[in-house]
Amino acid sequence: MRSLGFIARRLSALAVVLAVVSVLVFAIVQILPGDVATEILGTSATPEDLAALRVKLGLTRPAPVRYAEWIGGVVRGDWGLSLLYQLPVRPLVLEGLGRSAVLAGLALVIAVPLSIGLGVVASLRCDRFLDHAISTLTLIALSLPEFVWGTLLILLLAYRFRIFPPSSLVDPTASLGSLASSLVLPVLTLILALLAQMTRMTRASMIDALRQPFTEAARLRGLRPRRVVAHALRNALLPTVGIVALNVGFLLGGIVIVETVFAYPGLGRLLVDSVNHRDVPMLQMATLVVASAYGLANLGADVVYAYLDPRIRY
């Protein structure tokens, strides 16, 4: 019952946060430079045509009224019509979210256990060659932004050795093998972006946990080294869980760069296209979906925190 109460409190807080985010998203989109009517009709349109289209799109009504209509439609499941594609926003956003989730999920499934393993190995070999090698490699990975890694991987693995395709734009009727190969480079780029932070955090937390009295007590009780490490790792995972949650938010919100570099048709590309074409309904909903995913990721981190340390539930 206490766990359910803890999750209910976190869900209530998330609902408040999303309500505030929806107001901020709507306000920011309203003050963006440019005009939807001008984007649709072009700069050669007459003032009369522009005024008529603004009335048709409801742009002349007060902002609070337009916000109430928009958020009411979101709650009812009516996310509006894309001005760019002239299609309902909801299936387009959900399709882009699904594609981005595939990319992000593959990167997380590989990066999380790999980074925890590297962090544990580095902590157990603290200040030795293996620790220095892992720290140096993670520092190099951390020093370069995603678009640089993406470009280097394209030049090396796509154009130099011709192992993987440089773009993720593939024929939907292509075989499963060719679809999988087109995901390798963007997933590898995301792994490089995620690996360093989580590895360094796990290493630091494990070194601290291995020096705590409870770890020494476990050794004195005669536990095997593997069980002592597992005992320390449970306590060391608390800060790593927070980093993983932040990276989930990054993957769904900051994945824009990787999707743009590899022409991957996910939620990030959808956001970029909606900004370029002033597609306000699409921009608002894509941003709100990213914020919701980020909030749910942090909620998941809170639940895992509470599982690892029950004192957090109170």
Side-chain angles (χ1 to χ4, degrees):
M1 291 299 292
R2 288 172 179 169
S3 299
L4 292 177
F6 171 78
I7 295 174
R9 290 196 300 275
R10 289 294 186 274
L11 283 174
S12 301
L14 177 60
V16 173
V17 169
L18 290 180
V20 174
V21 168
S22 70
V23 174
L24 291 175
V25 168
F26 183 83
I28 292 172
V29 169
Q30 303 310 308
I31 62 176
L32 282 176
D35 181 80
V36 178
T38 304
E39 184 67 27
I40 295 174
L41 297 179
T43 54
S44 59
T46 64
E48 292 76 14
D49 291 338
L50 288 172
L53 184 56
R54 288 183 182 119
V55 171
K56 181 181 178 181
L57 295 175
L59 301 177
T60 56
R61 289 176 297 167
V65 175
R66 283 183 281 136
Y67 171 77
E69 290 181 353
W70 171 61
I71 202 67
V74 171
V75 173
R76 293 192 305 272
D78 179 11
W79 294 3
L81 190 69
S82 167
L83 302 177
L84 175 62
Y85 300 102
Q86 290 299 305
L87 292 171
V89 168
R90 190 169 66 172
L92 293 174
V93 170
L94 293 181
E95 185 180 359
L97 177 64
R99 289 172 176 168
S100 293
V102 170
L103 204 61
L106 289 172
L108 275 176
V109 165
I110 298 172
V112 171
L114 181 60
S115 60
I116 291 176
L118 288 174
V120 171
V121 170
S123 67
L124 295 176
R125 297 289 183 273
C126 184
D127 289 332
R128 297 181 184 176
F129 172 76
L130 196 54
D131 177 31
H132 293 308
I134 293 174
S135 298
T136 302
L137 290 175
T138 54
L139 183 61
I140 293 172
L142 190 64
S143 302
L144 296 179
E146 299 85 22
F147 70 89
V148 175
W149 279 119
T151 305
L152 290 175
L153 291 174
I154 290 174
L155 291 175
L156 184 65
L157 300 179
Y159 291 115
R160 179 68 179 87
F161 295 107
R162 300 181 183 279
I163 301 175
F164 302 109
S167 169
S168 296
L169 277 178
V170 296
D171 184 356
T173 62
S175 65
L176 183 61
S178 60
L179 289 173
S181 64
S182 68
L183 294 176
V184 171
L185 293 185
V187 169
L188 190 54
T189 304
L190 289 174
I191 290 174
L192 288 171
L194 297 173
L195 197 63
Q197 200 175 13
M198 290 190 288
T199 300
R200 295 170 76 84
M201 177 59 72
T202 304
R203 175 188 176 275
S205 301
M206 273 297 292
I207 290 175
D208 181 63
L210 289 170
R211 292 173 178 170
Q212 293 298 317
F214 63 82
T215 306
E216 186 62 27
R219 290 196 187 98
L220 293 176
R221 288 202 307 270
L223 294 180
R224 294 180 178 178
R226 184 175 298 179
R227 291 195 62 185
V228 173
V229 171
H231 189 57
L233 181 60
R234 180 185 174 99
N235 293 275
L237 281 180
L238 277 172
T240 305
V241 168
I243 295 296
V244 171
L246 290 175
N247 282 318
V248 171
F250 156 76
L251 282 171
L252 290 176
I255 205 170
V256 176
I257 296 173
V258 175
E259 291 186 354
T260 303
V261 169
F262 291 98
Y264 185 80
L267 191 59
R269 280 292 304 278
L270 209 60
L271 266 170
V272 172
D273 290 342
S274 61
V275 171
N276 289 336
H277 296 86
R278 301 295 187 273
D279 192 349
V280 174
M282 182 73 78
L283 177 59
Q284 291 179 161
M285 277 315 306
T287 308
L288 192 59
V289 167
V290 169
S292 302
Y294 192 87
L296 289 173
N298 280 280
L299 173 65
D302 287 344
V303 173
V304 176
Y305 268 134
Y307 170 74
L308 294 174
D309 187 354
R311 293 173 299 175
I312 297 175
R313 299 175 194 170
Y314 296 96

